[in-house]
């Protein structure tokens, strides 16, 4: 059983930065960040392979967002820079506990993730 707790969301103006945190209890293999805007599907944002550190990003956030992990704190961060109004969504942290042989780049499909956090709202005003 894995529990995930997100934090760090908020209301900000376009162009500024936010850092989201996902604290995990339990062992995970991959942690991903997804987001869901009202009336839209839940989309992959970024993911990190906990052991090997390999990362993956959606095209829409490449160059602006950075995912990282702190093994000592069992926490994954999503640093979001140059935020845009279209980044507005509820951001969810998710964990895939299955083993994957290296090299493994996090999957973008929601079905690959076994556990989900409660979400944190990010609102970017123009």
């Amino acid at each position: 059983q894995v529990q995930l707790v997100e934090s760090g969301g908020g209301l900000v103006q376009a162009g500024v930065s936010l850092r989201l945190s996902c604290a995990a209890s339990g062992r995970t293999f991959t942690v991903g960040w997804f987001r869901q805007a009202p009336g839209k599907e839940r989309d992959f944002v970024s993911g990190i392979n906990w052991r090997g550190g390999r990362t993956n990003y959606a095209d829409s956030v490449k160059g602006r967002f950075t995912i990282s992990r702190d093994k000592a704190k069992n926490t994954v961060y999503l640093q979001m820079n140059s935020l845009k109004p279209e980044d507005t969504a509820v951001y969810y942290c998710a964990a895939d506990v299955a083993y994957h042989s290296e090299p493994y780049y996090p999957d973008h499909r929601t079905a690959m993730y076994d556990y989900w956090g409660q979400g944190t709202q990010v609102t970017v005003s123009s």
Side-chain angles (χ1 to χ4, degrees):
Q1 187 77 12
V2 174
Q3 290 186 324
L4 304 167
V5 179
E6 304 101 330
S7 61
L11 170 62
V12 297
Q13 288 191 326
V16 303
S17 300
L18 273 178
R19 189 178 77 161
L20 304 182
S21 299
C22 172
S25 65
R27 196 166 186 171
T28 64
F29 190 91
T30 304
V31 175
W33 283 99
F34 291 77
R35 67 186 181 187
Q36 188 167 20
K40 295 190 176 182
E41 293 186 349
R42 190 170 297 188
D43 293 328
F44 177 79
V45 175
S46 182
I48 187 164
N49 169 336
W50 190 264
R51 186 178 67 178
R54 288 176 172 83
T55 59
N56 202 1
Y57 295 92
D59 288 342
S60 58
V61 306
K62 280 181 183 176
R64 298 190 298 125
F65 291 11
T66 303
I67 192 169
S68 61
R69 72 199 190 292
D70 184 327
K71 289 186 174 181
K73 295 182 178 179
N74 221 31
T75 298
V76 171
Y77 303 99
L78 184 68
Q79 178 68 41
M80 306 186 296
N81 298 331
S82 303
L83 282 163
K84 304 175 181 180
E86 50 264 43
D87 294 319
T88 295
V90 177
Y91 283 70
Y92 297 91
C93 174
D96 169 10
V97 300
Y99 172 81
H100 303 280
S101 58
E102 297 288 354
Y104 180 74
Y105 292 87
D107 202 291
H108 66 280
R109 296 170 291 179
T110 57
M112 292 295 290
Y113 294 81
D114 308 290
Y115 299 95
W116 293 81
Q118 81 288 352
T120 184
Q121 176 71 46
V122 173
T123 303
V124 184
S125 63
S126 57

